[in-house]
Amino acid sequence: AQKVTQAQTEISVVEKEDVTLDCVYETRDTTYYLFWYKQPPSGELVFLIRRNSFDEQNEISGRYSWNFQKSTSSFNFTITASQVVDSAVYFCALSEANTGTASKLTFGTGTRLQVTL
Amino acid sequence: NAGVTQTPKFRVLKTGQSMTLLCAQDMNHEYMYWYRQDPGMGLRLIHYSVGEGTTAKGEVPDGYNVSRLKKQNFLLGLESAAPSQTSVYFCASSYRGLAGGSSEQFFGPGTRLTVL
């Protein structure tokens, strides 16, 4: 069975601080996908990134960066120079990668990030 | 494009009542999903569909039924609502990737359901 653990329930930082959200996953599949979604106070889910298990390169997108380490089954998310607009609940998710069929997501329980002035 | 839309946005039911949640997507996606979100538990998959006329059970299917009569619509039904079904329900859709597998999922705005 697949499992995603986000051990940090809530994190509070002051604006401009860097913050890292941890994600640890378990799967027996050799091929899988990892995701991060953002859920702002308005409630919708916003897709941030999708990573294939064969691609261990770290990725940077503006102030966001992701560190994928297969050896430790982790897919951590760092926000550099945080801003108040980053305040949200962030979910890490895992899906199998079966060809030609739907990918069912297994979500972590989320990390609530509060960025204050 | 409206993306993924859900109807209604809010609903209050009494125990034993029935209702249907409607999800519609205009992106021509093959795959559609229903999740529920409860405090401290993240999102859990209820049912999903890989195409028109086909549905399958997810992690927490009990007490729910689904139908996908048209490619763009995915309905979630509660035949006899229970307080344990109080939750926020999200619909999502995804497309078949070029190399097989599924793209990222695009989510609707959610439906907040309270069962008294």
Side-chain angles (χ1 to χ4, degrees), chain A residues 37 39 50 91 100 103-104, chain B residues 31 37 40 48 101-102 104-105:
Chain A
Y37 281 87
Q39 187 175 42
R50 172 183 185 240
F91 290 98
S103 293
K104 296 165 285 183
Chain B
Y31 310 137
Q37 182 179 21
Y48 65 100
S102 173
E104 68 273 17
Q105 295 181 17

Side-chain angles (χ1 to χ4, degrees), chain A residues 43-111:
Chain A
E44 75 273 21
L45 282 149
V46 179
F47 166 76
L48 295 178
I49 190 171
R50 172 183 185 240
R51 171 66 72 215
N52 184 302
S53 56
F54 289 118
D55 182 0
E56 291 193 65
Q57 281 190 348
N58 293 331
E59 180 154 343
I60 299 174
S61 176
R63 296 184 297 107
Y64 294 171
S65 62
W66 290 269
N67 180 259
F68 177 29
Q69 293 202 346
K70 218 168 177 178
S71 60
T72 57
S73 297
S74 65
F75 187 42
N76 297 338
F77 173 32
T78 297
I79 302 175
T80 302
S82 60
Q83 299 176 2
V84 172
V85 293
D86 296 327
S87 297
V89 179
Y90 291 87
F91 290 98
C92 180
L94 167 70
S95 79
E96 57 205 6
N98 295 329
T99 300
T101 188
S103 293
K104 296 165 285 183
L105 287 174
T106 298
F107 282 84
T109 51
T111 297

Side-chain angles (χ1 to χ4, degrees), chain B residues 8-92:
Chain B
K9 289 186 169 53
F10 303 94
R11 185 73 186 268
V12 178
L13 290 178
K14 294 181 179 178
T15 297
Q17 287 185 319
S18 63
M19 78 162 294
T20 300
L21 281 67
L22 171 63
C23 175
Q25 53 95 2
D26 61 0
M27 297 175 282
N28 201 34
H29 287 174
E30 290 87 356
Y31 310 137
M32 297 187 75
Y33 315 79
W34 275 108
Y35 293 88
R36 61 177 288 173
Q37 182 179 21
D38 301 297
M41 300 190 73
L43 281 80
R44 293 179 293 167
L45 183 65
I46 304 171
H47 286 280
Y48 65 100
S49 168
V50 299
E52 185 177 324
T54 68
T55 63
K57 293 180 180 180
E59 182 186 352
V60 288
D62 294 342
Y64 305 95
N65 56 76
V66 288
S67 64
R68 188 148 178 223
L69 300 179
K70 295 182 179 180
K71 186 177 183 179
Q72 63 268 33
N73 295 338
F74 194 28
L75 279 61
L76 178 71
L78 285 73
E79 289 187 351
S80 179
S84 60
Q85 294 178 304
T86 293
S87 188
V88 180
Y89 292 86
F90 285 96
C91 177

